[in-house]
Each structure stands twice: as C-alpha cells, then as structure tokens.
DNA sequence: GAATTAATTGAACGTTTGTTTTATTATGCA
DNA sequence: TGCATAATAAAACAAACGTTCAATTAATTC
C-alpha cells in the first residue's frame, strides 16, 4: 500500500500536532515514541517525517507556537488604559484563559524545555521572558503609583505566574468549578497578594458557589 | 575485573540515590539511562541492580522518601498553638525550606509522576494529599475564626502550594536573594493572599534588600 | 487520459535501552 | 590463614528507539 484515499497533508499535519501535544502532556516527550504518535494519528511512523524533520523539531514547533499564541492573545487582550489594576486584571484573565484552553501544549512548554537544543531553548526562553516582562512592568507601575504594595517585583511576578499556570495541574473542565469561577477567584487572590486596595470585581458572583468543599 | 578496592555497598547506594536525583532533575527520568547513571557514580550499570531491582523502583524510592521527608519535617515543625496565622507561617516556612534544600528530588516528585505504575502513583498521591490536607485545615480554621478571608479553601490551598513549590524553578542558592529573604517575602505574600489582618512578621528585615530589581 | 506531484507504506538501518548472567575480586569474620 | 559473602565487571540479550529509503498509489495538472 502507499497513499491512502482521502489523505490530505494539512489535515494530517494538524492531527500530528494535536496528538503530539496530547501524548506529551500525558506521558512526556521522551516517553512518546514516534511509532506511538503515528498510531494515534492512524498513520505509519515514516509519514511523520514528511511534516517534521526530527522529533525535536516537532517539540520545538509546539513550544514556539504556544508562546506565539500566548503573546498574540495578550496583544489583543492588553487594555489601553494606564491603570495598573485594570492591566493586572487583564493579564490574569488572559493568562488563565489561555492556559486552560491549551493545557496540553502548556504541559509541553513547561515541562519539556530540557529536551531542546541550546539554541532553541534560548529562543523559547527569550519569548517567555518578554511575556513575563509585561507583568513585571504592570507590577512596577502599580507599586510606583502606590496602588500596589509589593516588596520585590521580580519575585512577585514569578510567584504569580507559577500560581496561575498551576491551574492546569488540577483544573478539569466540567468539574466542580467553571472557568469563570476559577478566574474570578484567582483574580481576587492576585489582587490581595499585590496589596491592591480594591478587591477583584467579580467576587460577588462567585460567593454563592464557593466554600462548598472543605 | 570485579570488586574494586574500597567498594562499600552503603556508600554506593547513597551515591546512586544522589546521582539519580540530580540526573532526573537535569534531564528527566526517561532521559536518564542506567548506563549514564552508573557512569556518574563511577560504576558499571549492572552494579545498580544490586540496590534497585528496576529503574522504576529507583524512581519510586526517591519519591517515597521525598514525601516521607516532607511529612516528617512538617511533623517536627508543626506548632502546638491553635492560632491559624502561626500555623500557616510555620507551614510556609517548612515547605519552602524543605523544597529549596531538596530541589533535586522535588523535581522528580513533581515532574515524573507519570512514569510510575498505577499502584505506586496512587501511593505517592495519597501521601501528597495527606500533606496538603494539613494546609486546607489551617485555611479552614482561619476562615472560620475570621482571621483569614478566603473564597474557596481547596482552590486557595492549591494556589499557595504551586506558588511556593515554584520557588525551585528559579531559585539558585548564592544568587541575589538568600533563603531567609525569599521565605520572608513569600510569607508576607501568603498572608496577604489569605487576607490575614496582620502581615508577615519578618517583613521589616527584608525591605532593605528588596526592590533592587525592576 | 497521460504526466506530474503529493502522501503514504513497509522494510530496514544502526543505536541505545533496561536487564540478566556469569565470572572475578575485595572485604570481614572465624 | 582460609572461607563466606558482598560488590563489582564484562559481556550478552531481546526489544524499542529515531530515522532513512525505495516502492506504490491517490490526487492534481495539463
């Protein structure tokens, strides 16, 4: 056999990306063999090499597109106002929404950095640093304006990002909490953490659903 | 050749554990081959099987001892007082100190759970849940006593743990901040996050060193 | 409808993997 | 001193790995 009926390069490539992200999230990059990935797509292993020259290329592509997507989402969501609180709220909302929606590629981007070559690792880290810099700027502006009370801007930014990204570890859509509820709670935790005078705005909507579990 | 001069089972086993934790933290469990681990210890691969029947046994041992150590450290550090704030402070201090001190095995315990068999995964998760339950109890007590203001106890506990454990991602001993400074800052962030009326206690000591970086 | 291009298969390559087996030597004890 | 055993080396195993190549067929183009 050779080319199969109905085969389409674009569809196959998309299926490969999706299956790869899912397998890497579930079992890890090293544990995902090209044969198993191919089986998931419904294709022979050799066919994968039409789309990605090496396994590492595939990983890098997933990571690069994840970071590009995250940056692009923030470019769109970023408010024009100078108000630090509104900007921080937008950052938190965008970060959580994006990571929940793409939790498979988030897993890859956060856990598999060590499998990249030096050059590619540097490129991904550069993108990540640029994204995190936006948060530090917001925190710094807020601290200087006196609306936040922050001891260490860099450290607070790291703490916030780890707290927010950690959502993907335990959050499963359709369980106890909705995305909106989780986001609202994280928003008010964030605001308290940075010492904002006014709490998160949607807090009232959530109170009815919260405190159900000990 | 066979047995080498000065060879000692206990020393070798300890060296294997340490080297394994370090290699897994740096390259991941799947990427660590038994031959490379053996080379790191200065021994042939076959010698490892005197101490650990399989590679997965080695991983499980590292994880189990990590969790046992964490639990034991908390048993010792846990204060007798009922005051939720003092208990939360002790929890934060213990968690951060332990994870910074053992950041190699922390990496293994957090990132390599998927490489465990079902049974062993369950055992590790049971230990972890028991440890996290302590934090939820503190938060609940504080919320009920009115000294904390918390929307969702379970969600706040997860957020705090991810924030604290995340320290190992960026913290390197001997760089900008000392362990004491990092702990103090995280303590006051924690207290603000849970809505404690009084801030963390050591805050004043740190102010001089903080805010050096944008 | 013939020629060309795109998509895929199936088999094979050399490496590396975790693990086992057998032989050999150092060490601790009688 | 001699004996038991603890600790290791060296070689080998089958299985799985990422990757390549030639052959083959579906889709597209002219």
């Amino acid at each position: 056999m050779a080319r199969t009926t109905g085969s389409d390069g674009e569809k196959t490539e998309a299926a490969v990306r999706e299956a790869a992200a899912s397998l890497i999230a579930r079992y890890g990059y090293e544990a995902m063999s090209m044969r198993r990935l191919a089986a998931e797509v419904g294709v022979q292993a050799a066919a994968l090499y039409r789309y990605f020259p090496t396994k590492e290329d595939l990983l890098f592509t997933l990571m690069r597109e994840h970071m590009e997507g995250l940056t692009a989402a923030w470019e769109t969501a970023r408010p024009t106002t100078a108000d630090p609180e509104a900007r921080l709220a937008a950052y938190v909302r965008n970060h959580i929404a994006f990571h929940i929606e793409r939790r498979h590629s988030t897993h890859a981007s956060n856990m598999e950095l060590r499998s990249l070559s030096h050059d590619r690792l540097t490129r991904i880290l550069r993108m990540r640093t640029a994204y995190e810099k936006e948060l530090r700027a917001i925190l710094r502006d807020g601290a200087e304006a006196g609306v936040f009370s922050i001891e260490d801007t860099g450290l607070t930014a790291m703490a916030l990002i780890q707290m927010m990204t950690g959502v993907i570890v335990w959050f499963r859509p359709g369980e106890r909490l909705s995305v909106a509820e989780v986001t609202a709670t994280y928003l008010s935790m964030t605001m308290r953490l940075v010492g904002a005078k006014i709490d998160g705005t949607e807090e009232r909507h959530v109170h009815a659903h919260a405190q159900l579990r000990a």
Side-chain angles (χ1 to χ4, degrees), chain A residues 150-196:
Chain A
I150 291 171
E151 288 181 25
D152 185 310
T153 310
L155 205 147
T156 303
M158 295 310 288
L160 282 178
I161 284 178
Q162 253 121 26
M163 180 184 95
M164 291 187 292
T165 307
V167 165
I168 62 156
V169 174
W170 55 266
F171 183 80
R172 294 293 173 276
E175 287 194 358
R176 183 168 69 99
L177 295 167
S178 72
V179 177
E181 287 166 340
V182 170
T183 305
T185 306
Y186 270 72
L187 199 50
S188 70
M189 288 195 293
T190 300
M191 289 303 172
R192 280 206 295 261
L193 193 150
V194 301

Side-chain angles (χ1 to χ4, degrees), chain A:
Chain A
M1 252 174 269
R3 179 164 188 175
T4 52
T5 34
S7 64
D8 178 340
E10 280 191 34
K11 282 183 195 165
T12 305
E13 179 167 353
V16 170
R17 283 166 201 261
E18 199 182 306
S22 168
L23 284 176
I24 291 173
R26 267 186 287 166
Y27 308 108
Y29 170 75
E30 296 275 359
M32 174 194 75
S33 78
M34 295 301 267
R35 284 173 180 81
R36 182 162 186 188
L37 171 58
E40 200 86 357
V41 179
V43 106
Q44 287 297 112
L48 302 174
Y49 289 82
R50 248 197 104 65
Y51 307 98
F52 303 96
T54 68
K55 191 185 177 189
E56 198 211 316
D57 273 275
L58 171 52
L59 176 65
F60 177 67
T61 301
L62 292 180
M63 288 185 172
R64 180 172 42 74
E65 291 180 354
H66 177 85
M67 284 310 302
E68 286 170 354
L70 180 58
T71 305
W74 171 237
E75 301 286 343
T76 305
R78 169 204 274 138
T80 51
T81 174
D83 175 32
E85 232 173 272
R87 286 157 65 204
L88 180 56
Y91 196 93
V92 170
R93 267 191 259 266
N94 181 68
H95 189 93
I96 292 180
F98 187 87
H99 282 82
I100 284 183
E101 196 181 342
R102 305 215 202 169
R103 54 198 187 83
H104 284 167
S105 61
T106 299
H107 254 107
S109 288
N110 285 336
M111 316 257 282
E112 308 296 349
L113 286 166
R114 56 195 168 200
S115 294
L116 289 179
S117 70
H118 179 74
D119 279 5
R120 288 172 159 171
L121 174 63
T122 304
R123 287 169 60 186
I124 297 292
L125 288 183
R126 220 198 311 275
M127 299 172 81
R128 179 184 283 212
T129 303
Y131 173 73
E132 294 172 354
K133 196 178 172 184
E134 298 270 318
L135 176 57
R136 283 200 298 274
I138 295 172
L139 296 180
R140 187 185 351 98
D141 290 354
E144 284 174 3
V147 297
F148 298 158
S149 77
I150 291 171
E151 288 181 25
D152 185 310
T153 310
L155 205 147
T156 303
M158 295 310 288
L160 282 178
I161 284 178
Q162 253 121 26
M163 180 184 95
M164 291 187 292
T165 307
V167 165
I168 62 156
V169 174
W170 55 266
F171 183 80
R172 294 293 173 276
E175 287 194 358
R176 183 168 69 99
L177 295 167
S178 72
V179 177
E181 287 166 340
V182 170
T183 305
T185 306
Y186 270 72
L187 199 50
S188 70
M189 288 195 293
T190 300
M191 289 303 172
R192 280 206 295 261
L193 193 150
V194 301
K197 310 291 174 274
I198 313 146
D199 249 39
T201 45
E202 280 95 335
E203 202 177 341
R204 281 167 216 89
H205 302 174
V206 196
H207 264 306
H209 302 276
Q211 285 290 12
L212 295 178
R213 189 168 78 171

